[in-house]
Every structure is written in structure tokens, then in C-alpha cells.
Amino acid sequence: MNAPDTGRMTGQRSTTMKGKDACDACDAREGAALCGSETAALAAFARVHHQHRYLAKQTLYHEGTPALGLYVVCRGRIKVSRADGNGREQILRLVDPGGVLGEEALIEGAQYVGSALALEESRVAFVGREELLRLFQAHGGMAVNLLLHLCRELVSTQANLTRLALADARSRMAGLLLELGRRYGQPTPEGMQLSLQVSRGELAAMVGLTPETAMRLLSEFRDAGIVRTDRRQVILVRPERLEALS
């Protein structure tokens, strides 16, 4: 099964890759949720998945639509989020190369709980639900790898929920910047530069703040010499100060 076509709703269509990149040569394989499996399982996965290329801002799937299969990020970065009736967004997580999304498909008749959007040009492998279940039955180690990955995601989600429920706005923003620094930070003479370019609104949506509050806090951090900002770019100048605030 190919990935569902969201082009009718978005005005854009993903591009089906005519030639699959070899899974065993993929840079994201090490530590990946599925692709780090043994050779036989990896070969079986390569036979059943379909690769698609998404441009930045293209949608993989929409919240509330049938969960038809699992997505594995090969390259790029995907945002999974939910929106309320007023259009306010809550970003649930960012999925990097080697990560998976659409795991709701493991539950029969389930719907996707959020919408998935490419933050940058991305290449994603899609496996339909039935093919995935047959793959797990034949290669139990791959199922165990996915289970361990989902457990790590659950622990991370619980930590994020605790932060949202108990921390004040300043602590939430400081903690988020530290987390993004650990995941996407690149050392520079000025400090730790985030390779992930996100808008102020997206930063706010990750920690349950309004864009206005996020902008005010970033301005405070900048004036205090803790960070430097330039449009969508953020540099952590004094991460130890963020640690103290988080």
C-alpha cells in the first residue's frame, strides 16, 4: 500500500521515489526504530515499504483520518501536531531521521491523533498496516525494536507533560531550548547554534505558550545575554543559565 494521497486537501502531492535508497547504506539506520534490525529483517522491510519525497510544509497525513500505516523518516524532519477549533496548535513531537510516526496504525480501526507536516524537504518510507503486521510476525526482533522505541517516546512524553503541568512559562521555554540544543545544537564560536530553524509560533506550540509569551521570553533571554536570535535562528550563548531556569 502506498502512503495516502493528501494532495487533494493540501494542493500539493508527495513524490513517489522511483528508486529506493538502499536501507543498509542509510545514514539514519544506526539506532533507528525499525531499520537497525538484522539483515534479513531489513531486506524484508525494504521489499514492502514505499518511499516518498515531501517538500517543506507538505502534509503526510491529517488528524482524524484513518491510520493506514506506519511512516519511517529516512531524511529530513517531521512535525506531529494537533489543533483546536480556533486554529491554535500544540506540537506533540518532532521526528528525526530513523524515527517513526503513525504508530496508531498498529491498532485496528484507529485514526491518526495528530497531523504530520514536513518541516524541511524529507524522504519518508511508508508501510501499510497489514504488511507491517506480517513483517513483525516473521521478524520478531523488528517488533521488539519498535516496542523499545515507543517506550522511549512514552517516557519523553511523560516528562514533557510534567513540564507543561507544573513548570511556569519561563522554565518551560528554558527547558525546551536546552532540549533542542541537545538534539540539534552545533558548536560555534558564539555558542550552541540550533540547526533546527523554527518560528516563534512553533516554539510556543511545543510548550503550550502563546506566540506573544514566547517572543517576550526570548527577548528577555536575549537581553540577559543567554541566547542570540536572528529571525528563525537561535544560538544558546549561556546554556548553564537556561539549566538554572529550567
Side-chain angles (χ1 to χ4, degrees):
M1 175 185 291
N2 286 317
D5 183 8
T6 58
R8 295 177 182 177
M9 290 175 281
T10 63
Q12 295 178 312
R13 293 177 182 269
S14 65
T15 301
T16 301
M17 309 294 289
K18 293 183 178 179
K20 298 178 184 177
D21 287 357
C23 291
D24 57 1
C26 179
D27 294 337
R29 181 185 173 189
E30 185 176 355
L34 289 180
C35 310
S37 303
E38 67 273 10
T39 303
L42 190 63
F45 173 76
R47 287 193 295 270
V48 300
H49 80 260
H50 302 272
Q51 289 186 14
H52 298 263
R53 181 172 65 90
Y54 294 88
L55 300 177
K57 305 303 181 183
Q58 272 192 286
T59 299
L60 283 71
Y61 57 78
H62 291 275
E63 177 183 345
T65 57
L68 300 178
L70 187 77
Y71 295 79
V72 182
V73 181
C74 305
R75 294 178 184 169
R77 193 161 290 119
I78 308 297
K79 173 181 72 173
V80 181
S81 64
R82 300 191 70 175
D84 64 14
N86 298 317
R88 292 177 299 186
E89 180 186 42
Q90 174 66 54
I91 295 179
L92 303 178
R93 58 192 170 111
L94 303 178
V95 186
D96 301 320
V100 300
L101 59 154
E103 54 271 19
E104 300 94 328
L106 293 170
I107 304 172
E108 185 175 3
Q111 297 178 335
Y112 292 120
V113 299
S115 297
L117 184 86
L119 289 176
E120 57 193 64
E121 184 174 329
S122 302
R123 183 164 55 81
V124 180
F126 174 83
V127 186
R129 180 178 186 274
E130 296 303 322
E131 292 93 339
L132 184 66
L133 294 179
R134 284 195 292 269
L135 190 64
F136 287 166
Q137 289 173 352
H139 302 280
M142 182 170 279
V144 171
N145 286 345
L146 179 61
L147 176 62
L148 293 173
H149 174 80
L150 294 179
C151 286
R152 287 191 290 269
E153 288 289 337
L154 177 60
V155 171
S156 175
T157 298
Q158 289 173 332
N160 289 337
L161 287 174
T162 300
R163 182 170 63 192
L164 286 173
L166 301 179
D168 61 22
R170 185 171 287 99
S171 297
R172 279 184 264 167
M173 180 58 71
L176 172 63
L177 292 175
L178 283 172
E179 179 185 348
L180 295 179
R182 285 190 287 266
R183 290 177 63 178
Y184 308 115
Q186 296 180 342
T188 71
E190 297 175 308
M192 190 67 70
Q193 180 173 316
L194 302 186
S195 60
L196 175 72
Q197 294 192 9
V198 294
S199 68
R200 304 298 184 263
E202 287 170 329
L203 286 174
M206 291 182 199
V207 286
L209 301 176
T210 64
E212 294 76 17
T213 299
M215 292 179 63
R216 175 177 57 80
L217 290 171
L218 286 172
S219 294
E220 288 183 11
F221 293 166
R222 184 185 63 236
D223 294 344
I226 300 173
V227 304
R228 289 189 59 184
T229 59
D230 181 15
R231 296 184 180 179
R232 295 171 69 93
Q233 192 64 266
V234 179
I235 299 175
L236 310 185
V237 179
R238 301 189 63 183
E240 74 280 0
R241 292 282 303 278
L242 292 173
E243 189 74 50
L245 290 170
S246 66

